[in-house]
Amino acid sequence: MAAPPERRCWEREQARLKAGVVEQDTEEWQKDPNFTGLERVGGVDLSYIKGDDTSACASLVVLSYPALQVLYEDCRMVAVTAPYVAGFLAFREVPFLVEAVQRLQQEEPKLRPQVLLVDGNGLLHHRGFGVACHLGVLTDLPCIGVAKNLLQVDGLARDELHREQIRSLQRSGDTFPLTGTSGRVLGMGACWVLDLSFLNAQVLRSYNNSSKPLYISVGHRVSLDTAVRLVRSCCRYRVPEPIRQADIRSREYIRKQLCAPLEVRPARPESSKKEAELEDESDA
């Protein structure tokens, strides 16, 4: 099958923007062990109506830090026109997220997030430029990619070695590097035993026994170590709270807009099993 005509143009644009990615900490709060000075953490998400790949809700939330209380919410229905092509999800969705950040800057500049958590990958990507990198470069905000499924790239695979790495996550804070065959560390796998004492014992056991890691990667203007530490500090459940709240609120917004309990689903359109194995940038 011939590649979509957009692909070559998108590849050139990715290469151009990738040159602007900064893989180091750039903010003073990032260098502090307790993130002193960090007050606002943002999360973004797109949710689609099941069966409709063109109508979606783009959501941006800003939470206080470290309390993780919602300070700002922007949910808008958007018309998605760019086709879904594995590895190029950003061209389909990032423009709407950039617009949301720009609206916030115009309407509530004091609430501009100091960092964005993105449901997807950053440097952990076929061409080293995932959604978190794309959004970070275009907004010039520190960005972190947080995925729930391993993107199989540069030799990374869901094989026995990977399963053994997951089984090795015994203690809260344990991590393992996602090292490609190129020798480069593309991200970090992490799984934490969370402080969920406010839940009943049965639910608490189910969380503590969870063996599903998150896959954290650098997006822009943040180091991998800082990204891992920040994501951990934002987790009340498996998914960090900024992303979790953006997802919840985008889904609820769709339900209210359509005045019916319609089923909504994650941002990525339905694709073949093979595509899903190749591209896990936007599993929610």
Side-chain angles (χ1 to χ4, degrees):
M1 181 181 294
E6 298 90 350
R7 184 176 183 124
R8 288 186 179 179
C9 179
W10 287 349
E11 286 180 344
R12 290 194 296 269
E13 182 67 0
Q14 277 187 338
R16 184 184 70 83
L17 293 174
K18 182 181 177 181
V21 172
V22 177
E23 301 179 33
Q24 294 82 36
D25 293 330
T26 61
E27 308 301 301
E28 286 302 315
W29 61 262
Q30 295 169 328
K31 303 170 186 177
D32 187 284
N34 298 313
F35 296 129
T36 302
L38 177 61
E39 299 178 348
R40 299 174 305 282
V41 179
V44 294
D45 181 71
L46 258 79
S47 290
Y48 290 75
I49 302 169
K50 185 175 179 61
D52 185 349
D53 291 339
T54 62
S55 297
C57 176
S59 173
L60 164 67
V61 297
V62 180
L63 277 60
S64 62
Y65 187 88
L68 300 179
Q69 299 298 314
V70 176
L71 303 173
Y72 174 90
E73 173 185 347
D74 180 351
C75 293
R76 302 284 179 98
M77 295 301 297
V78 297
V80 181
T81 58
Y84 170 75
V85 180
F88 298 93
L89 181 67
F91 292 95
R92 182 173 167 85
E93 300 183 350
V94 163
F96 305 113
L97 303 178
V98 171
E99 289 176 0
V101 173
Q102 291 173 340
R103 281 195 299 271
L104 169 57
Q105 180 63 38
Q106 294 172 358
E107 299 171 5
E108 297 284 351
K110 293 183 180 180
L111 295 180
R112 180 179 172 88
Q114 293 163 276
V115 60
L116 283 173
L117 271 57
V118 182
D119 181 9
N121 292 302
L123 298 180
L124 179 57
H125 180 265
H126 304 287
R127 286 164 298 284
F129 194 75
V131 173
C133 295
H134 204 127
L135 182 60
V137 171
L138 291 183
T139 61
D140 197 31
L141 285 171
C143 276
I144 299 170
V146 184
K148 294 188 288 297
N149 293 284
L150 177 67
L151 181 62
Q152 300 186 84
V153 60
D154 194 15
L156 296 176
R158 301 186 189 99
D159 55 13
E160 181 56 33
L161 172 61
H162 184 64
R163 288 189 287 272
E164 180 60 33
Q165 289 174 318
I166 293 175
R167 288 193 290 269
S168 73
L169 300 176
Q170 298 293 327
R171 296 173 299 176
S172 179
D174 282 354
T175 61
F176 61 88
L178 301 171
T179 306
T181 55
S182 65
R184 186 177 187 190
V185 177
L186 302 175
M188 197 74 72
C191 188
W192 298 293
V193 176
L194 307 177
D195 180 12
L196 299 173
S197 56
F198 58 90
L199 297 175
N200 64 59
Q202 182 176 358
V203 174
L204 181 59
R205 282 196 299 272
S206 72
Y207 276 99
N208 284 345
N209 292 335
S210 174
S211 60
K212 295 181 179 180
L214 294 174
Y215 300 95
I216 302 164
S217 56
V218 169
H220 184 51
R221 293 179 56 187
V222 64
S223 68
L224 183 56
D225 176 69
T226 296
V228 172
R229 290 191 299 113
L230 181 59
V231 170
R232 179 187 182 189
S233 72
C234 289
C235 283
R236 290 177 173 171
Y237 301 89
R238 181 190 174 209
V239 177
E241 200 65 10
I243 294 175
R244 179 173 172 270
Q245 287 297 326
D247 174 67
I248 290 173
R249 290 163 191 266
S250 64
R251 293 167 183 265
E252 183 61 26
Y253 187 84
I254 288 177
R255 293 188 183 97
K256 289 181 178 179
Q257 289 295 303
L258 300 181
C259 299
L262 295 178
E263 183 177 356
V264 296
R265 58 181 176 75
R268 188 182 62 204
E270 293 182 10
S271 56
S272 67
K273 182 178 180 180
K274 181 177 180 181
E275 283 182 323
E277 290 176 350
L278 290 173
E279 179 60 73
D280 282 314
E281 285 191 3
S282 186
D283 283 315

